[in-house]
């Protein structure tokens, strides 16, 4: 066990209200593509840039093309929780971790067993009719073609936050409260480049700020511990 892992374990042992704040890097180890990495969606070629396709304006104006891209690239039915997801669920079960705040939309934290997951950008597993607000699971998207429609005739929209849309205020408030009350904040698998989500870490007031990422971030100098490595590799060595 490296000195960095030993230090991380020491901090966890001292803490009782740990919050984990995670990004796309947590899910790439489960085979879900990142947006900004070398192999990510932003570096692939489509008729429109992914950021354009995943905008509210594009969703309204070109729904057929939106759903074609969404089914192809945003839903990963074979993805399974990795070591990071499982370690966080273990910490929660042990009474150490109070919340997972995630920018991911894949539902893998819940699949691993985490109970309190605050999904800042929504989830591909939830969908709803824009007309009657009836709830649909992911099969409403995967088992349909073109624009999915409700039995009432309304369009079924994925419960994910598109570009140009605001974050859910209740989820945001819960995340702020969890982070501000935490005695340890672990940030993992994120470049901290996406706002307003990345700005949430400013609410942390403690002195156990840990950053785990494969590449440096703009917040490294503020952290009490920085580990430049795979989030799954690091957390798999932790004991609750």
């Amino acid at each position: 066990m490296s000195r960095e892992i030993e230090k991380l374990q020491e901090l966890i042992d001292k803490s009782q209200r740990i919050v984990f704040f995670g990004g796309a890097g947590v899910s790439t180890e489960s085979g879900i593509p990142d947006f900004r990495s070398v192999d990510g969606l932003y570096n692939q070629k489509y008729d429109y840039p992914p950021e354009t396709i995943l905008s509210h304006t594009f969703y309204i104006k070109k729904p057929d093309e939106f759903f074609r891209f969404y089914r192809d690239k945003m839903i990963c039915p074979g993805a399974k929780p990795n070591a990071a997801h499982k370690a966080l669920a273990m910490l929660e079960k042990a009474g150490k971790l109070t919340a997972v705040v995630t920018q991911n939309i894949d539902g893998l934290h819940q699949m691993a067993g985490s109970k309190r997951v605050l999904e800042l950008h929504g989830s591909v597993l939830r969908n709803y009719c824009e007309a009657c607000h009836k709830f649909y699971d992911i099969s409403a998207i995967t088992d349909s073609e073109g624009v999915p429609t409700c039995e009432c005739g309304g369009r079924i929209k994925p419960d994910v936050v598109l570009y140009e849309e605001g974050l859910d205020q209740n989820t945001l408030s819960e995340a702020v409260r969890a982070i501000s009350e935490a005695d340890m904040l672990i940030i993992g698998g994120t470049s901290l480049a996406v706002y307003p989500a990345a700005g949430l870490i400013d609410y942390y007031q403690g002195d156990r700020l840990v950053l785990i990422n494969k590449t440096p971030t703009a917040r490294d100098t503020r952290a009490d511990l920085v580990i430049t490595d795979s989030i799954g590799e690091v957390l798999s060595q932790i004991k609750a």
Side-chain angles (χ1 to χ4, degrees):
M1 182 180 287
S2 72
R3 177 58 192 147
E4 290 176 334
I5 301 297
E6 288 179 5
K7 177 65 174 176
L8 176 60
Q9 185 68 64
E10 288 172 12
L11 294 175
I12 288 173
D13 290 345
K14 293 177 183 176
S15 305
Q16 296 299 325
R17 297 187 310 280
I18 302 170
V19 169
F20 178 81
F21 180 93
V26 179
S27 292
T28 53
E29 293 173 40
S30 292
I32 294 178
D34 185 7
F35 275 94
R36 292 170 175 79
S37 66
V38 173
D39 299 317
L41 295 180
Y42 282 138
N43 293 296
Q44 298 177 27
K45 302 299 182 184
Y46 298 95
D47 291 340
Y48 301 89
E51 194 169 35
T52 298
I53 298 174
L54 295 174
S55 69
H56 181 79
T57 298
F58 194 93
Y59 168 76
I60 296 299
K61 291 184 175 181
K62 297 180 180 292
D64 282 293
E65 292 184 54
F66 170 89
F67 279 104
R68 186 157 51 246
F69 178 90
Y70 184 85
R71 288 188 183 93
D72 187 34
K73 294 298 180 183
M74 304 307 292
I75 297 175
C76 303
K80 302 294 183 185
N82 60 52
H85 298 107
K86 294 172 183 176
L88 293 167
M90 172 192 70
L91 286 172
E92 183 186 53
K93 188 175 182 180
K96 285 280 192 179
L97 185 136
T98 59
V100 169
V101 181
T102 180
Q103 300 175 79
N104 298 332
I105 59 175
D106 48 53
L108 292 181
H109 284 293
Q110 292 94 325
M111 197 182 297
S114 290
K115 303 300 182 186
R116 192 184 182 201
V117 182
L118 305 176
E119 297 170 310
L120 296 174
H121 297 152
S123 172
V124 296
L125 303 181
R126 297 190 302 269
N127 306 274
Y128 64 92
C129 173
E130 293 179 303
C132 72
H133 305 291
K134 179 180 178 180
F135 173 85
Y136 287 89
D137 64 21
I138 196 169
S139 64
I141 309 296
T142 57
D143 296 350
S144 63
E145 295 181 358
V147 180
T149 55
C150 175
E151 55 194 21
C152 79
R155 179 165 55 190
I156 298 173
K157 182 182 186 296
D159 189 14
V160 298
V161 180
L162 303 177
Y163 290 101
E164 304 168 348
E165 295 179 343
L167 303 186
D168 179 78
Q169 289 304 303
N170 290 332
T171 304
L172 202 55
S173 296
E174 261 198 270
V176 167
R177 187 179 306 111
I179 291 171
S180 64
E181 293 174 351
D183 60 5
M184 179 176 183
L185 178 61
I186 303 174
I187 300 171
T190 173
S191 60
L192 294 175
V194 178
Y195 283 80
L200 288 176
I201 69 171
D202 292 330
Y203 289 95
Y204 178 62
Q205 303 297 316
D207 57 2
R208 297 172 198 157
L209 175 60
V210 178
L211 278 170
I212 308 169
N213 200 46
K214 286 184 176 180
T215 57
T217 78
R219 302 296 187 101
D220 285 2
T221 56
R222 287 186 48 191
D224 300 286
L225 175 63
V226 176
I227 303 178
T228 308
D229 203 346
S230 152
I231 183 74
E233 181 67 27
V234 171
L235 293 186
S236 67
Q237 300 178 62
I238 294 302
K239 293 180 173 61

